[in-house]
Amino acid sequence: MTVVFDIAGFKDAMSRFTTGVTIVSGIEEGEPVGFTCQSFVSLSIDPPFVAVAPARTSTSWPRIARAGSFCVNVLGRHQVDLGRAFAASGGRKFEGVEWHPSPGSGSPVIEGCLAWVDCAVELVHDAGDHELIMGRVLDLGSGEGSPLLFFRSGFAALAPLGRDEERE
């Protein structure tokens, strides 16, 4: 029996799972580097681990990986322009972006983000056309605001449900 996998159908189905939007950042030779990533998850509380999954085609992740640490910046809905800018390949993405070094690794924490999670690379695993990176949490912080979301291959914003909608 031959099974034909429908890649377009897979992409369409997966695009219906709403995720948050992050910028994974790091330092290479004293310069900030980063990329937009919606493949981010909390893995463990004790010990604290998170994971990101950069595409193998990423030109930014290998630069960050060499440092052995990274910071996940959770974007707010007011940061859609940053999400778009960091999704582009190449260029000086941090030009004009306010950030400060994280206390643990020195990776960039982007000002105004909803949360940041500073990590040391714990494990790198082959994941097909991506890599699965497990990070040991070194430090973190949180801010206020509404999240920037990714849904059906585009940015979206959260709309709170009314009481009647919550019951449906």
Side-chain angles (χ1 to χ4, degrees):
M1 178 168 145
T2 303
V3 177
V4 177
F5 186 75
D6 179 5
I7 293 173
F10 180 75
K11 286 181 177 181
D12 184 56
M14 294 300 99
S15 77
R16 291 166 188 335
F17 181 69
T18 304
T19 65
V21 180
T22 72
I23 291 175
V24 176
S25 62
I27 295 289
E28 180 193 48
E29 297 177 2
E31 294 296 317
V33 61
F35 64 95
T36 299
C37 180
Q38 79 271 7
S39 298
F40 167 65
V41 65
S42 168
L43 287 179
S44 171
I45 294 172
D46 186 17
F49 289 119
V50 298
V52 296
R56 288 197 180 278
T57 56
S58 172
T59 56
S60 298
W61 171 249
R63 297 172 61 200
I64 295 168
R66 284 191 280 277
S69 59
F70 61 95
C71 185
V72 179
N73 296 269
V74 179
L75 299 186
R77 69 180 291 161
H78 63 286
Q79 295 173 307
V80 68
D81 290 341
L82 282 177
R84 284 192 181 106
F86 278 76
S89 186
R92 298 183 53 82
K93 298 176 188 176
F94 273 92
E95 195 166 293
V97 175
E98 291 185 42
W99 64 276
H100 64 272
S102 63
S105 72
S107 295
V109 174
I110 296 173
E111 296 297 331
C113 62
L114 293 187
W116 56 272
V117 185
D118 190 28
C119 302
V121 174
E122 185 79 15
L123 177 72
V124 178
H125 185 75
D126 178 31
D129 57 3
H130 284 65
E131 288 184 297
L132 183 62
I133 314 302
M134 188 169 83
R136 182 176 28 87
V137 177
L138 303 173
D139 205 350
L140 49 83
S142 58
E144 296 295 324
S146 295
L148 180 60
L149 304 176
F150 197 73
F151 176 71
R152 296 194 70 187
S153 303
F155 293 113
L158 183 66
L161 295 175
R163 293 261 185 230
D164 291 337
E165 293 171 304
E166 288 180 17
R167 288 189 275 261
E168 290 179 7

